[in-house]
Amino acid sequence: MRLLIRLEAQANAVYDHAAHHQLRGRIWRALEGTEFTDLHDADRPIGLCFSNIFPWGDITEGEQRNVLVSATDPDLLRAVSAGLAQDPAFNVGEMPFEVAEITPLSPDVGEPGTRGTIESGTGLLVRIPPWRLDDYDIDPDGDGAVFWRPKHSMKPLQTQIQQNLDKKHDLFCPEELPGPTDREGNLFSEYELIKTFALPLEVTQGEERTVILSKWRFKYEVRDEHHRRHLNLALDAGLGERNALGLGFINIEEDSKVGPREALQAQEGVQ
């Protein structure tokens, strides 16, 4: 579940690529005074994520831009929507906008047999905890957790993503249903790395850290209804860590979904 928030620029502005903390702050201000206010300081995944303001590029007064907010709890999204409707000023750093329209969306990876591609809309943060470094034959530079990099191979990335999603499954899905690590197979069928990059990130007010992020294109084929639930959970809650800062927001690539019948016909055509 998510909200597509259409924004109208209130002045010319330079696009600020480092406005993550301000964007997060604006979304949280929409939740002030609601039952969700305390989630702000929660020391666990909270099932909330959001995109950058898009499309990127310098802004002209009157132009339309957008931001997507996803969540596992529809009441949380309704509270964000109500807060923005009550106060439509949407100022993010030096980029002044006003909320013009809010549309609810329900993206779905599709029924079993469906194929598609998911792309990371914001950087993905994956840390390898110190107690797992020997498992992956990683020689760390220090004592803390290690940010995933291509030289560490795909195994730690796939494992940490899946285990992180398992934690979210425990929090937001019925306990009797199996989580990602309870099932055979990887979350995605193909992992295409687009790039890795370092980003200074204000993790809390006044505390900035440089983190290593990566952007990806993931191919998937829905194996069954459990796999479908796991992929849709990633769409709602975000992938990897620090989703409440907007990291790990993912989207189904437009026009990439192929239903099971079309996928079978395409396979028979190849044979």
Side-chain angles (χ1 to χ4, degrees):
M1 296 163 284
R2 54 186 58 186
L3 299 174
L4 171 61
I5 303 167
R6 298 197 184 281
L7 306 170
E8 182 178 311
Q10 299 300 295
N12 297 343
V14 175
Y15 191 98
D16 185 355
H17 294 268
H20 312 280
H21 194 68
Q22 291 94 330
L23 178 56
R24 178 198 184 207
R26 178 62 192 96
I27 293 169
W28 275 103
R29 280 198 298 280
L31 292 169
E32 283 179 354
T34 73
E35 61 182 300
F36 302 102
T37 303
D38 292 344
L39 287 179
H40 185 275
D41 299 318
D43 187 23
R44 61 171 176 78
I46 62 170
L48 174 74
C49 197
F50 53 88
S51 73
N52 290 316
I53 293 171
F54 64 94
W56 286 17
D58 290 346
I59 299 160
T60 301
E61 182 179 355
E63 275 188 347
Q64 180 183 296
R65 299 296 165 101
N66 310 280
V67 65
L68 287 160
V69 180
S70 66
T72 56
D73 184 347
D75 289 337
L76 176 56
L77 285 182
R78 279 191 280 271
V80 171
S81 180
L84 293 176
Q86 188 173 13
D87 177 12
F90 201 98
N91 301 321
V92 178
E94 300 299 319
M95 300 184 290
F97 296 100
E98 187 164 303
V99 176
E101 184 181 7
I102 302 174
T103 305
L105 303 174
S106 299
D108 188 328
V109 293
E111 62 182 309
T114 302
R115 299 175 182 175
T117 302
I118 286 175
E119 185 170 313
S120 51
T122 58
L124 178 67
L125 174 62
V126 174
R127 290 181 299 175
I128 304 166
W131 58 88
R132 296 301 307 272
L133 295 176
D134 286 344
D135 298 342
Y136 303 130
D137 197 23
I138 294 174
D139 186 15
D141 295 329
D143 297 331
V146 173
F147 295 108
W148 182 87
R149 301 167 190 259
K151 66 181 182 182
H152 298 143
S153 82
M154 290 301 297
K155 183 182 177 184
L157 180 118
Q158 291 170 326
T159 301
Q160 295 306 130
I161 283 178
Q162 197 135 320
Q163 291 184 349
N164 177 274
L165 191 61
D166 215 37
K167 186 186 302 183
K168 294 166 186 166
H169 192 277
D170 289 344
L171 290 166
F172 307 120
C173 296
E175 61 181 356
E176 69 272 16
L177 297 178
T181 60
D182 296 322
R183 306 284 293 174
E184 293 290 333
N186 285 323
L187 195 61
F188 303 109
S189 53
E190 293 182 32
Y191 296 69
E192 179 189 346
L193 177 63
I194 300 172
K195 65 176 180 179
T196 57
F197 56 102
L199 183 75
L201 192 69
E202 190 168 354
V203 293
T204 58
Q205 188 71 37
E207 181 184 359
E208 186 173 282
R209 297 178 189 171
T210 297
V211 298
I212 305 298
L213 307 176
S214 52
K215 296 196 79 170
W216 294 85
R217 192 172 289 113
F218 305 109
K219 290 190 180 302
Y220 69 85
E221 179 173 355
V222 183
R223 294 189 294 272
D224 52 30
E225 287 295 341
H226 295 303
H227 188 213
R228 180 183 190 177
R229 182 179 64 259
H230 301 156
L231 291 170
N232 283 337
L233 173 63
L235 286 173
D236 290 342
L239 208 58
E241 300 178 58
R242 296 285 187 176
N243 308 123
L245 295 179
L247 303 183
F249 184 85
I250 57 175
N251 269 317
I252 302 173
E253 212 169 71
E254 193 172 355
D255 300 328
S256 73
K257 278 175 62 176
V258 179
R261 179 176 297 179
E262 292 82 1
L264 181 60
Q265 288 172 342
Q267 186 176 4
E268 289 174 346
V270 171
Q271 292 172 346

